[in-house]
Amino acid sequence: SPPTGETDFVNALRQFREAVALDSGNTVAQRHVYMALAEKRSWNDLLQEANRRLRRDADDVDALLARGLAASSLEDYESGAGAFAQALQRMPPLQRSAFTNVKRVLAPSVMDKSARFADSVSWNSLSAAERRRQETLFWNLVDPRASTRTNEALVEFYARVAYADLRFGSVEYRVRGADSDRGDTWVRYGP
């Protein structure tokens, strides 16, 4: 067979699933299952895997993020928004703050200081109240369908962060995927 890597992928996914079957508490192996399915864009399989995990543990943040990523990738933004909201509620404050950091999509720097939004360089100089106000304003203005209950742009942002964390991160080395160069590019510009 041609050297496409498909055989290696199938074998790796099978072994990660076997590891999870042998030790259902093995979160590293479970994250690798999510990562493999997301990498192949097997959104229905990822959704089934996340739902299977959530039936055993409804508070599993990684499973909720995987569900949100799969649902939003299948353009079920309302379901994706619900999964991301549940995951954010269960995250510790520091993790939630890193996940929702709007600086990831702000302009790196703005020469014109009369711009509507702070740039990522001046963001930290804003007060907490001003940052919350700017975040709310930003997400309201970029919502592509303001007449719907779900802000699709915000859901897409969360999906990009979740994907970047799965694909480019490493739990073993404590590296957030969205904070890596590739992850930052993915979150800012998308696929």
Side-chain angles (χ1 to χ4, degrees), residues 153-173:
L154 180 58
V155 173
E156 173 65 20
F157 170 74
Y158 289 156
R160 288 181 184 186
V161 173
Y163 180 87
D165 282 348
L166 279 175
R167 180 63 182 89
F168 307 118
S170 171
V171 174
E172 297 86 2
Y173 296 110

Side-chain angles (χ1 to χ4, degrees), residues 6 21 26 59 68 94 120 123 125 134 137-138 151 155 168 177 187:
E6 190 64 27
N26 188 336
D59 292 328
L94 193 58
S120 62
W123 183 260
S125 67
Q134 290 247 340
L137 179 63
F138 176 82
N151 184 333
V155 173
F168 307 118
V187 172

Side-chain angles (χ1 to χ4, degrees), residues 72 77-78 80-81 84 135-158:
S72 63
Y77 296 106
E78 193 165 330
F84 287 129
E135 257 184 67
T136 301
L137 179 63
F138 176 82
W139 289 119
N140 285 338
L141 288 174
V142 299
D143 186 357
R145 293 184 249 171
S147 62
T148 62
R149 290 188 338 201
T150 303
N151 184 333
E152 294 84 1
L154 180 58
V155 173
E156 173 65 20
F157 170 74
Y158 289 156

Side-chain angles (χ1 to χ4, degrees), residues 93-160:
L94 193 58
Q95 183 184 5
R96 182 176 40 251
S97 175
F99 190 86
T100 62
N101 189 351
V102 74
K103 273 188 359 182
R104 297 180 192 287
V105 291
L106 294 178
S109 66
V110 177
M111 299 304 268
D112 178 13
K113 296 302 177 191
S114 66
R116 179 175 288 188
F117 300 109
D119 56 50
S120 62
V121 173
S122 62
W123 183 260
N124 291 334
S125 67
L126 299 176
S127 68
E130 181 60 18
R131 279 192 295 248
R132 281 191 302 278
R133 189 187 76 72
Q134 290 247 340
E135 257 184 67
T136 301
L137 179 63
F138 176 82
W139 289 119
N140 285 338
L141 288 174
V142 299
D143 186 357
R145 293 184 249 171
S147 62
T148 62
R149 290 188 338 201
T150 303
N151 184 333
E152 294 84 1
L154 180 58
V155 173
E156 173 65 20
F157 170 74
Y158 289 156
R160 288 181 184 186

Side-chain angles (χ1 to χ4, degrees), residues 15-93:
Q15 290 174 358
F16 288 133
R17 284 186 164 148
E18 285 175 10
V20 171
L22 291 171
D23 178 9
S24 64
N26 188 336
T27 58
V28 173
Q30 186 64 57
R31 280 182 59 89
H32 281 298
V33 170
Y34 298 149
M35 178 181 64
L37 295 172
E39 172 64 19
K40 286 296 186 178
R41 305 214 184 333
S42 298
W43 304 124
N44 286 314
D45 292 339
L46 180 60
L47 186 60
Q48 289 175 354
E49 189 72 35
N51 287 335
R52 189 174 315 123
R53 184 71 171 193
L54 287 167
R55 280 191 291 275
R56 286 201 321 263
D57 180 4
D59 292 328
D60 187 323
V61 171
D62 287 337
L64 288 165
L65 292 174
R67 177 193 273 175
L69 171 59
S72 63
S73 296
L74 292 167
E75 297 184 8
D76 182 357
Y77 296 106
E78 193 165 330
S79 179
F84 287 129
Q86 290 176 39
L88 290 169
Q89 286 176 343
R90 288 162 176 79
M91 286 180 187

Side-chain angles (χ1 to χ4, degrees), residues 168 176-187:
F168 307 118
R176 269 190 77 85
D179 292 338
S180 69
D181 289 342
R182 291 184 297 170
D184 179 61
T185 301
W186 185 271
V187 172

